[in-house]
Amino acid sequence: MQLDFAAKKRTILQHLAVLDAEYADSSPKGTVDMGIRELVDEINSVDGLVTTSSCAGRVAVFLEGRKQLAPNPQDEDEFEARVPPQVHSNAGGKGLGGRWLYVSHDAIEISEEPPAMQLRTLFGLVSPEQQTEHDPQKDSPRFVHLKFEPMILHLLTASSDHAQIVLSAALQAGFRESGAINLQRRLGAPATLMVAVRSSGLAFDAIVGYQGKEGAIVAMVDEMYLRTIVGIANERFLVNSDRINRFRLALLGAPLQSSIPALSGGKKLPSPEWEDATARKQRKRTEGLRRQLAKRDTITTASQPGAHPEPESLDIGGMFY
């Protein structure tokens, strides 16, 4: 295994080992999501793999950043003074002054009981009836987005073989937009691949409000629309959880007869039952690679006892982009 990878993994694990009260990262939540912490720990126990960032999936309400700076510092200060505080997250959102108004990594409970403005209040939105009537398009406001984002997981891998197995598991589980970067070798050393496990198929983004001239965050939709959108997000949390479980089973559940025995981890879990045609093709390709590696290692060991030659270049271009 590369010394460079081993050093990076050691540093990452030391960072994750601190108490939750002391740990902080750049995500809106600031810590590893509880819904994915067990999977992160399992992956990090595998030789040749380490997670670098993760999100279990989330529903969020986000205020866009300003489209342009205020004309002068005095106006800028006056504008910021009118902006209400964040509702749930201390971390600033993306963009110039953008921020998270609400973030949850779990389904949102929708009560059938009053108050009628339950979700508007939760997201920090005020009723348009409470504001002076004006045209949001004419005033060039900052829009408020309600979005759902499925799991995303980044892994650093020690070799292209490790990366291919992770990608195969991701595709089998339904994370269709997964891929790898850092394919080029650096100064003659083996490439250290970064694999992104992701899918955009479950994601959605809906504009639900805007920030007016006075700083108030105004709803553009009624409570029933918000309840409908949140209901859709809750359903997608279930699909997302199912895909996470399939990914875990595909990566850690099946014993692997290959030159990377550490990936099996000694676990004897059932293999995932579902896979589409693309995932099956990639799985067959990976299984063939494992058989080739196992056969070559057996021949090499027999002819050169104790030798551990570097594997030959493998054509895995179809797995990466």
Side-chain angles (χ1 to χ4, degrees):
M1 184 183 301
Q2 303 174 34
L3 294 178
D4 187 41
F5 170 83
K8 291 179 179 178
K9 179 170 183 176
R10 183 165 55 253
T11 300
I12 292 170
L13 294 184
Q14 289 173 350
H15 187 53
L16 289 173
V18 302
L19 297 176
D20 288 343
E22 301 174 0
Y23 177 84
D25 57 32
S26 59
S27 66
K29 183 173 180 288
T31 59
V32 178
D33 302 339
M34 290 302 298
I36 205 174
R37 185 60 190 257
E38 183 178 357
L39 174 62
V40 166
D41 290 341
E42 288 180 331
I43 291 175
N44 290 340
S45 69
V46 173
D47 290 340
L49 302 179
V50 65
T51 60
T52 61
S53 65
S54 62
C55 176
R58 65 187 178 189
V59 59
V61 180
F62 175 72
L63 174 64
E64 292 178 345
R66 293 184 297 279
K67 295 178 174 62
Q68 61 183 11
L69 292 173
N72 57 64
Q74 182 177 359
D75 291 343
E76 178 76 6
D77 292 339
E78 292 176 355
F79 179 84
E80 289 297 337
R82 297 195 300 266
V83 176
Q86 293 170 304
V87 177
H88 278 264
S89 175
N90 292 324
K94 299 177 182 178
L96 184 61
R99 56 199 176 97
W100 303 101
L101 303 176
Y102 177 88
V103 178
S104 175
H105 297 271
D106 299 298
I108 299 175
E109 183 177 353
I110 304 177
S111 174
E112 299 298 331
E113 302 297 328
M117 300 302 168
Q118 175 194 18
L119 292 178
R120 283 188 184 177
T121 302
L122 183 64
F123 299 152
L125 305 175
V126 301
S127 171
E129 289 78 14
Q130 301 176 21
Q131 301 299 304
T132 303
E133 186 173 340
H134 66 280
D135 184 356
Q137 290 296 330
K138 182 178 180 180
D139 294 334
S140 299
R142 297 162 62 184
F143 288 108
V144 177
H145 300 252
L146 192 159
K147 56 177 64 180
F148 176 82
E149 298 169 332
M151 184 198 80
I152 183 168
L153 183 66
H154 291 95
L155 298 88
L156 193 65
T157 64
S159 71
S160 60
D161 296 336
H162 291 84
Q164 181 162 339
I165 290 176
V166 173
L167 280 172
S168 179
L171 291 172
Q172 288 182 53
F175 293 97
R176 297 174 181 272
E177 284 71 45
S178 300
I181 59 174
N182 297 341
L183 300 178
Q184 299 297 321
R185 296 175 182 268
R186 178 168 53 86
L187 299 178
T192 301
L193 302 180
M194 178 73 72
V195 179
V197 179
R198 58 196 175 193
S199 173
S200 62
L202 293 178
F204 68 76
D205 185 327
I207 293 178
V208 297
Y210 67 94
Q211 186 177 61
K213 288 183 177 180
E214 300 303 317
I217 301 176
V218 185
M220 297 178 66
V221 298
D222 60 20
E223 184 74 8
M224 184 57 66
Y225 181 85
L226 289 176
R227 293 168 73 90
T228 300
I229 292 296
V230 168
I232 293 172
N234 287 346
E235 292 174 356
R236 297 196 178 188
F237 266 119
L238 296 176
V239 178
N240 183 60
S241 296
D242 180 62
R243 291 186 180 182
I244 293 173
N245 187 53
R246 292 206 304 260
F247 171 69
R248 175 182 175 273
L249 292 174
L251 181 62
L252 304 171
L256 305 179
Q257 305 297 325
S258 72
S259 62
I260 317 173
L263 283 180
S264 64
K267 300 178 177 66
K268 300 276 187 184
L269 301 176
S271 299
E273 299 178 355
W274 175 91
E275 63 178 351
D276 60 17
T278 301
R280 183 176 185 276
K281 181 179 179 180
Q282 298 293 358
R283 177 175 60 81
K284 291 294 186 180
R285 181 185 178 91
T286 302
E287 291 174 351
L289 169 64
R290 292 173 183 155
R291 288 193 295 269
Q292 293 174 18
L293 289 174
K295 181 178 180 180
R296 185 176 60 224
D297 288 348
T298 300
I299 295 174
T300 301
T301 302
S303 60
Q304 300 179 15
H308 298 281
E310 289 294 324
E312 299 174 3
S313 298
L314 300 171
D315 180 15
I316 55 175
M319 298 291 295
F320 303 114
Y321 55 87

